[in-house]
Short mmCIF file of all heavy atoms in Angstrom, two decimals:
data_model
loop_
_atom_site.label_atom_id
_atom_site.label_comp_id
_atom_site.label_asym_id
_atom_site.label_seq_id
_atom_site.Cartn_x
_atom_site.Cartn_y
_atom_site.Cartn_z
N ASN Y 877 118.22 137.90 138.81
CA ASN Y 877 118.30 139.03 139.92
C ASN Y 877 119.37 139.93 139.56
O ASN Y 877 120.39 139.66 138.96
CB ASN Y 877 118.76 138.20 141.15
CG ASN Y 877 117.69 137.16 141.53
OD1 ASN Y 877 116.74 137.40 142.18
ND2 ASN Y 877 118.01 135.88 141.23
N GLY Y 878 119.13 141.23 140.03
CA GLY Y 878 120.10 142.24 139.90
C GLY Y 878 120.34 142.91 141.18
O GLY Y 878 119.54 143.00 142.07
N THR Y 879 121.58 143.50 141.28
CA THR Y 879 122.04 144.20 142.65
C THR Y 879 122.81 145.38 142.33
O THR Y 879 123.46 145.44 141.22
CB THR Y 879 122.84 143.26 143.53
OG1 THR Y 879 123.99 142.84 142.89
CG2 THR Y 879 122.09 142.06 143.96
N ALA Y 880 122.67 146.34 143.09
CA ALA Y 880 123.65 147.51 143.03
C ALA Y 880 123.71 148.15 144.46
O ALA Y 880 122.81 148.01 145.29
CB ALA Y 880 122.95 148.53 142.11
N GLU Y 881 124.80 148.80 144.79
CA GLU Y 881 125.01 149.44 146.05
C GLU Y 881 125.44 150.91 145.84
O GLU Y 881 126.09 151.29 144.80
CB GLU Y 881 126.06 148.67 146.85
CG GLU Y 881 125.65 147.33 147.11
CD GLU Y 881 126.63 146.61 148.05
OE1 GLU Y 881 127.49 147.28 148.72
OE2 GLU Y 881 126.61 145.30 148.24
N GLY Y 882 125.13 151.73 146.86
CA GLY Y 882 125.56 153.11 146.80
C GLY Y 882 125.56 153.64 148.19
O GLY Y 882 125.00 153.05 149.05
N ALA Y 883 126.06 154.80 148.35
CA ALA Y 883 126.13 155.52 149.64
C ALA Y 883 126.12 157.09 149.49
O ALA Y 883 126.54 157.63 148.47
CB ALA Y 883 127.39 155.14 150.38
N THR Y 884 125.42 157.71 150.45
CA THR Y 884 125.38 159.17 150.42
C THR Y 884 126.46 159.66 151.52
O THR Y 884 126.63 158.97 152.54
CB THR Y 884 124.03 159.64 150.80
OG1 THR Y 884 123.71 159.19 152.13
CG2 THR Y 884 123.04 159.22 149.88
N GLY Y 885 127.08 160.71 151.25
CA GLY Y 885 128.04 161.23 152.21
C GLY Y 885 129.17 160.41 152.44
O GLY Y 885 129.83 160.53 153.56
N SER Y 886 129.62 159.59 151.50
CA SER Y 886 130.74 158.77 151.67
C SER Y 886 132.01 159.64 151.90
O SER Y 886 132.24 160.58 151.11
CB SER Y 886 130.99 157.88 150.56
OG SER Y 886 130.05 156.86 150.44
N LYS Y 887 132.78 159.38 152.91
CA LYS Y 887 134.02 160.15 153.21
C LYS Y 887 135.22 159.27 153.14
O LYS Y 887 135.15 158.05 152.81
CB LYS Y 887 133.90 160.76 154.51
CG LYS Y 887 132.71 161.77 154.65
CD LYS Y 887 133.22 163.18 154.60
CE LYS Y 887 132.06 164.16 154.83
NZ LYS Y 887 132.50 165.50 155.21
N ASN Y 888 136.35 159.89 153.45
CA ASN Y 888 137.55 159.06 153.51
C ASN Y 888 137.78 158.40 154.84
O ASN Y 888 137.38 158.91 155.89
CB ASN Y 888 138.79 160.12 153.35
CG ASN Y 888 138.68 161.04 152.12
OD1 ASN Y 888 138.54 160.52 151.01
ND2 ASN Y 888 138.44 162.27 152.41
N ALA Y 889 138.13 157.17 154.80
CA ALA Y 889 138.46 156.42 156.06
C ALA Y 889 139.93 156.09 156.06
O ALA Y 889 140.35 155.35 155.21
CB ALA Y 889 137.61 155.18 156.17
N LEU Y 890 140.74 156.55 157.01
CA LEU Y 890 142.17 156.30 156.95
C LEU Y 890 142.73 156.34 158.29
O LEU Y 890 142.24 157.00 159.28
CB LEU Y 890 142.94 157.28 156.07
CG LEU Y 890 142.98 158.83 156.39
CD1 LEU Y 890 144.19 159.06 157.36
CD2 LEU Y 890 143.13 159.59 155.17
#
Side-chain angles (χ1 to χ4, degrees):
N877 300 280
T879 60
E881 296 185 19
T884 62
S886 291
K887 296 259 184 158
N888 310 295
L890 65 88

